[in-house]
Amino acid sequence: MYTTAFLDLPPLLSAGGTIRLPGSKSISNRVLLLAGLSEGTTTVHDLLASDDTRVMLESLRTLGCGIEQAGDTVRITGLGGKLSVLNADLFLGNAGTAMRPLTAALALLSATQGGIFTLSGVPRMHERPIGDLVNALRPLGCTIECTGNEGYPPLRLAGGQLKLNEPIKVRGDVSSQFLTALLLALPLVSQDQALTIEVVGELISKPYIEITLNLLARFGIQVERQGWERFVIPQGSHYQSPGEIHVEADASSASYFIALGALAGIDQTVRIEGVGAASIQGDIRFVEAAQAMGAQVTSGPNWLEIRRGQWPLKSIEMDCNHIPDAAMTLAVMALYAEGTTRLTNIASWRVKETDRIAAMAKELGKLGAIVVEGPDFIEVTPPPAAQWQHASIHTYDDHRMAMCFSLAAFNPLAPTAAPGKPVSVRIEDPRCVGKTFPDYFESLFQVAQTDPDLIPVITIDGPTASGKGTLASALATRLGYQFLDSGSLYRLTGLLATERGLDLDDASAIEPLARQIGSAISLRFEHEHIWVDGRDVSTDLRREDMGQAASRISVHPGVRAALLDVQKAFRGLPGLVADGRDMGTVVFPDAALKVFLTATVAERAERRHKQLISKGFSANLDEICADLEARDLRDRSRAVSPLVPAHDARKLDNSALSIDESVDTVLGMWVEGWPHVIARS
Ligand code: DC
């Protein structure tokens, strides 16, 4: 998961390949609650690991359920309808799918078995209405207090006296989750009589109710549905664990990859595994909407394949009540359509993670799109020809905003884009995708493709012990970029040459070895470790004598040429930070930002000395000083790729700076220079 403050997406040009999606949030949290209320143990496979499921699991654990987790499989031993913990404070983050059904279940349990429960969340959760559910539960005799504002969490559930003789009325026109909450919870109190729920007002998001009914049936409860107005829970219903249950992949998450295929599946296919046309999730009907815009989709029981069909996409006018979440993806696809796309009947967007109509309108507007918003609709017209704007997209702690807007990175493909002038898309707070799809961006980069020369590079060159390695690696972490420590490739060549007894000064002996690196000699970089033909050489590479060996073999032009392609191959999505001696001058002369680090010899010798002592090596400051000077001289005066600053490098003397200060300084240069426009012919 990207935990950086922002994620800069380079211009993307095509997409193809296979991805497996994480489990559905809606199914995961319903299954967890049902398993938690059932008697016996349920093994849940393919559970979504996300913020929302985490809070549900934690709540169930707090309430006394047995929870054993191994990867995406969880074994839950349920309460069998009996409270074992009578007082609990539950924190539910921003998870509507946990807040609503837990409110209903705990209100009923507390009214029948006693106990006091408080349910709270993040500030946004306290702005999301729950009054319709509270108003359905209070007439049943549940004591529910809204401890902040009336009609909103936090809630305090404190006992009561149930009266179940009347039909239970709930409004269905703000959120279908209130009805879902009642359907999931009422079987707790259906021992002595059938229970009837009556929906007041037009029920929205009906497909989500279908998921609820479908899963209740898997847990032994056959709800009788009379139209969309009345639902009857038969007398004597009780939760029966199915033993094992698999969670389908998330159909709403699929929407981004369906859109991706429609936009960028040019002569290739985007294949999605884990969900297919027969899904029980309503958002699977996004497929029809995408097809209406031009996508070519084929599907099987648990897979979908998408490629570009009509291009440019067709604008549509569509009632999106049946696909409220996935419809956001249509609003971004509209950027690639001819004409105006109008999405209607989406009032529920206003009470989701954020006011999604307002957020969508504002951020699409930043890109140059023309947007009209109304209480329950949005109209999107792509930016006029050549009017696309660079945009830093605010994501409002809303996972779907972040995922949708990543599709704007394909702007070079847009019919109205100015040729050769892609705009930059920055996604602020990318970690918000953790709500439903923690590895969203990793999955995107797995199937999205672009020209390497469009991928931004930051180079950090400088002499030995200038701290460039530490700086570059910290910078890569802060930006979510790939990292190349080019010195390690020279050290590696030096190590293998030494082990094979080769003469380090003999170019004709070292060159053939260097040519095998990355091909006949396999390399794997993982966190701080480097594996060569399956052996971890990280510790050996850091030895002082390997630094010297590297300096010696790196003067041979043939060795440098042999390692060039290996280094260039590190230029991967979403960007690269590379450190070395000639990153800015030779390997990545087109880098977006070049930094040349300097520090006094005395300061560098001091740092190296400390480093060696901390690793348990003995070290002498004068010798280190002499050695650094000798290596600097060799690196600076060699005929090929000498250590010199690139003409366009920014010099940074970090003698008096801590590592954090150096990182902040370079990050400041990067932010200041944004957008890093990469013009193409
Ligand atoms: O950065 P380092 O100390 O790990 O590098 C070891 C040696 O490798 C250095 O003395 C010179 C050589 N080198 C190089 O010539 N070009 C690079 N891009 C990186 C390292």
Side-chain angles (χ1 to χ4, degrees), residues 21 248-251 254 272-279 281 284 300-304:
L21 295 177
E248 274 186 17
D250 195 287
I272 299 168
E273 291 187 343
V275 64
S279 166
Q281 300 168 70
I284 197 64
N302 75 340
W303 59 266
L304 295 162

Side-chain angles (χ1 to χ4, degrees), residues 15 251-266 270 272 286-287 289-291 293-297 304 306-309 311 313 326 328-334 336 403-404 406-408 410 413 440 444:
S252 316
S253 301
S255 72
Y256 312 108
F257 293 92
I258 295 169
L260 192 66
L263 295 176
I266 311 162
V270 174
I272 299 168
F286 175 82
V287 167
Q291 282 170 322
M293 291 191 83
Q296 255 183 37
V297 185
L304 295 162
I306 307 95
R307 52 173 60 226
R308 195 193 253 192
W311 190 258
L313 296 179
M328 290 176 77
T329 313
L330 298 174
V332 180
M333 285 172 79
Y336 300 89
M403 295 190 277
C404 276
S406 68
L407 298 172
F410 289 88
L413 303 175
Y440 172 73
L444 174 68

Side-chain angles (χ1 to χ4, degrees), residues 508-561:
S508 64
I510 311 295
E511 236 185 85
L513 171 69
R515 264 192 254 114
Q516 291 180 352
I517 289 179
S519 51
I521 300 171
S522 77
L523 289 185
R524 189 158 62 87
F525 288 76
E526 209 178 87
H527 307 296
E528 308 272 282
H529 292 263
I530 302 175
W531 304 75
V532 175
D533 286 340
R535 149 185 167 221
D536 185 353
V537 295
S538 324
T539 314
D540 284 341
L541 291 190
R542 281 188 221 110
R543 278 169 20 206
E544 271 308 87
D545 56 330
M546 282 311 123
Q548 279 149 21
S551 178
R552 275 169 69 189
I553 58 102
S554 66
V555 300
H556 307 311
V559 170
R560 303 198 74 85

Side-chain angles (χ1 to χ4, degrees), residues 142-164:
C142 299
T143 307
I144 304 176
E145 193 190 332
C146 300
T147 60
N149 293 327
E150 185 56 30
Y152 296 86
L155 301 178
R156 184 168 181 274
L157 316 175
Q161 188 87 51
L162 281 195
K163 320 178 272 286
L164 295 168

Side-chain angles (χ1 to χ4, degrees), residues 121-432:
V122 298
R124 174 64 188 166
M125 186 81 245
H126 298 169
E127 293 168 8
R128 298 177 66 183
I130 198 165
D132 292 343
L133 180 60
V134 171
N135 291 339
L137 290 164
R138 278 181 181 152
L140 305 184
C142 299
T143 307
I144 304 176
E145 193 190 332
C146 300
T147 60
N149 293 327
E150 185 56 30
Y152 296 86
L155 301 178
R156 184 168 181 274
L157 316 175
Q161 188 87 51
L162 281 195
K163 320 178 272 286
L164 295 168
N165 35 358
E166 297 285 317
I168 298 143
K169 290 194 181 346
V170 65
R171 274 182 60 178
D173 52 356
V174 173
S175 165
S176 67
Q177 285 187 18
F178 305 137
L179 174 58
T180 279
L182 292 173
L183 286 166
L184 290 174
L186 280 168
L188 283 167
V189 293
S190 64
Q191 293 82 357
D192 302 330
Q193 70 280 300
L195 300 171
T196 302
I197 307 174
E198 283 181 6
V199 178
V200 181
E202 166 77 13
L203 178 64
I204 63 165
S205 313
K206 297 183 181 80
Y208 284 104
I209 300 302
E210 301 227 56
I211 297 182
T212 306
L213 298 180
N214 198 308
L215 293 174
L216 276 163
R218 296 291 306 278
F219 281 82
I221 293 161
Q222 303 292 341
V223 177
E224 190 190 315
R225 174 166 81 75
Q226 300 171 356
W228 291 102
E229 293 89 47
R230 287 165 69 89
F231 297 82
V232 180
I233 297 166
Q235 178 182 354
S237 293
H238 70 280
Y239 306 98
Q240 181 108 46
S241 164
E244 311 246 336
I245 188 162
H246 287 259
V247 175
E248 274 186 17
D250 195 287
S252 316
S253 301
S255 72
Y256 312 108
F257 293 92
I258 295 169
L260 192 66
L263 295 176
I266 311 162
D267 303 326
Q268 29 173 3
T269 302
V270 174
R271 184 180 163 95
I272 299 168
E273 291 187 343
V275 64
S279 166
I280 63 166
Q281 300 168 70
D283 269 357
I284 197 64
R285 293 194 54 204
F286 175 82
V287 167
E288 295 157 28
Q291 282 170 322
M293 291 191 83
Q296 255 183 37
V297 185
T298 48
S299 86
N302 75 340
W303 59 266
L304 295 162
E305 281 186 3
I306 307 95
R307 52 173 60 226
R308 195 193 253 192
Q310 173 154 339
W311 190 258
L313 296 179
K314 273 181 283 186
S315 51
I316 52 167
E317 170 156 0
M318 187 175 276
D319 179 329
C320 293
N321 193 261
H322 61 300
I323 48 168
D325 287 348
M328 290 176 77
T329 313
L330 298 174
V332 180
M333 285 172 79
L335 294 171
Y336 300 89
E338 231 164 7
T340 301
T341 292
R342 184 177 157 89
L343 309 176
T344 61
N345 208 354
I346 50 167
S348 67
W349 280 23
R350 297 219 181 258
V351 295
K352 295 287 174 121
E353 281 78 347
T354 184
D355 176 342
R356 286 177 167 169
I357 295 185
M360 186 56 84
K362 178 145 187 231
E363 304 308 312
L364 285 172
K366 283 185 189 170
L367 286 162
I370 298 156
V371 187
V372 179
E373 62 165 298
D376 63 348
F377 73 88
I378 192 165
E379 271 180 20
V380 183
T381 312
Q387 301 278 303
W388 283 74
Q389 310 289 326
H390 305 290
S392 183
I393 302 296
H394 191 68
T395 49
Y396 307 84
D397 200 15
D398 183 350
H399 54 138
R400 300 210 183 282
M401 286 295 288
M403 295 190 277
C404 276
F405 275 88
S406 68
L407 298 172
F410 289 88
N411 63 78
L413 303 175
T416 57
K421 289 206 179 126
V423 301
S424 302
V425 179
R426 167 170 288 179
I427 303 292
E428 297 171 12
D429 188 27
R431 89 179 72 194
C432 66

